């Protein structure tokens, strides 16, 4: 039985060659049929609203089996963290992989209020959740400092600093594929 993955896009355009599109195509190629990868289109990605994204995420997750993997790219990761810290998700999720996700409220540039995490959010996440963070060293969209802040807020998470300045990872993210395959073997 294939391990299921739900990938939540970044904000902005969601075409095959836009936003998270190239990263998704890369994952489909690299995971080569060993996984069931879903990536639902998110509502109004140019003007995201958390409640609408939450509904779409939950709908995309309705028939998942135990020990599935969630991947969130940029705003998609923020939405997943908020959802997992505010609601109990069934079936059990084995891993959450965040790619270049912003910490809303970290400073005045990052104030999208409906995506803000509650104080103490990390204590409300599922206990057995395996969390990995992937951030480019020189990302000019979501700086590496966001990854370092999440690593501080989520002490059990593994932070991977990726060389370069990519935010969209159009040419792929081998470290992510490596992590997905590690999780599958657990």
């Amino acid at each position: 039985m294939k391990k299921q993955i739900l990938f939540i896009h970044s904000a902005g355009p969601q075409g095959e060659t836009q936003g998270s599109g190239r990263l998704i195509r890369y994952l489909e190629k690299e995971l080569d049929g060993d996984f069931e990868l879903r990536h639902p289109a998110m509502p109004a990605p140019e003007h995201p609203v958390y409640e609408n994204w939450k509904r779409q995420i939950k709908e995309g997750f309705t028939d998942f089996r135990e020990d599935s993997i969630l991947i969130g790219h940029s705003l998609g990761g923020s939405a997943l963290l908020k959802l997992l810290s505010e609601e109990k998700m069934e079936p059990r999720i084995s891993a959450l992989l965040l790619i270049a996700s912003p910490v809303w409220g970290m400073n005045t540039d990052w104030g999208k209020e409906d995506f803000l995490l509650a104080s103490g959010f990390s204590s409300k996440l599922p206990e057995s959740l395996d969390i990995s963070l992937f951030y480019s060293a020189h990302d000019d969209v979501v700086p590496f400092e966001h990854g370092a802040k999440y690593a501080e807020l989520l002490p059990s998470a593994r932070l991977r600093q990726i060389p370069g300045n990519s935010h969209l990872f159009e040419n792929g993210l081998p470290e992510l594929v490596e992590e997905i395959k590690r999780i599958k073997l657990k």
Side-chain angles (χ1 to χ4, degrees):
M1 196 175 284
K2 295 180 180 183
K3 193 158 207 63
Q4 294 172 306
I5 299 172
L6 181 64
F7 184 107
I8 304 303
H9 290 263
S10 59
Q14 295 184 8
E16 282 203 26
T17 60
Q18 299 172 309
S20 301
R22 288 189 177 129
L23 179 56
I24 290 167
R25 299 300 153 254
Y26 169 80
L27 288 174
E28 289 173 334
K29 179 180 170 244
E30 291 298 313
L31 299 175
D32 192 33
D34 290 338
F35 297 84
E36 178 187 336
L37 177 63
R38 294 187 195 170
H39 45 90
M42 300 311 289
E46 300 287 344
H47 305 285
V49 173
Y50 174 70
E51 286 299 318
N52 298 336
W53 280 46
K54 176 176 82 170
R55 275 193 295 279
Q56 187 71 359
I57 292 167
K58 290 172 87 171
E59 185 177 307
F61 195 67
T62 54
D63 62 345
F64 266 52
R65 296 180 298 276
E66 288 287 313
D67 295 323
S68 55
I69 299 171
L70 299 178
I71 300 175
H73 183 207
S74 198
L75 183 68
S78 300
L80 287 173
L81 260 181
K82 185 170 177 67
L83 176 60
L84 291 172
S85 67
E86 292 179 353
E87 297 187 27
K88 183 173 177 159
M89 295 292 289
E90 293 292 337
R92 189 179 77 81
I93 299 153
S94 64
L96 174 63
L97 310 177
L98 302 179
I99 307 161
S101 294
V103 178
W104 297 101
M106 188 165 138
N107 59 43
T108 56
D109 294 335
W110 296 93
K112 190 140 180 56
E113 290 190 26
D114 59 333
F115 285 87
L116 284 172
L117 295 167
S119 178
F121 78 94
S122 62
S123 67
K124 296 179 176 113
L125 294 171
E127 279 185 35
S128 61
L129 190 61
D130 188 349
I131 303 174
S132 294
L133 313 166
F134 301 86
Y135 288 81
S136 287
H138 305 290
D139 185 342
D140 60 354
V141 178
V142 178
F144 181 78
E145 290 76 26
H146 288 257
K149 182 66 174 177
Y150 272 134
E152 176 187 316
L153 295 169
L154 302 163
S156 66
R158 286 175 308 288
L159 175 60
R160 303 276 303 262
Q161 185 176 42
I162 311 302
N165 63 354
S166 187
H167 179 72
L168 297 177
F169 299 97
E170 299 98 333
N171 296 319
L173 186 51
E175 296 87 349
L176 177 63
V177 172
E178 174 187 300
E179 185 66 10
I180 292 168
K181 289 180 178 179
R182 180 196 67 80
I183 292 164
K184 182 180 181 196
L185 296 174
K186 280 178 41 177

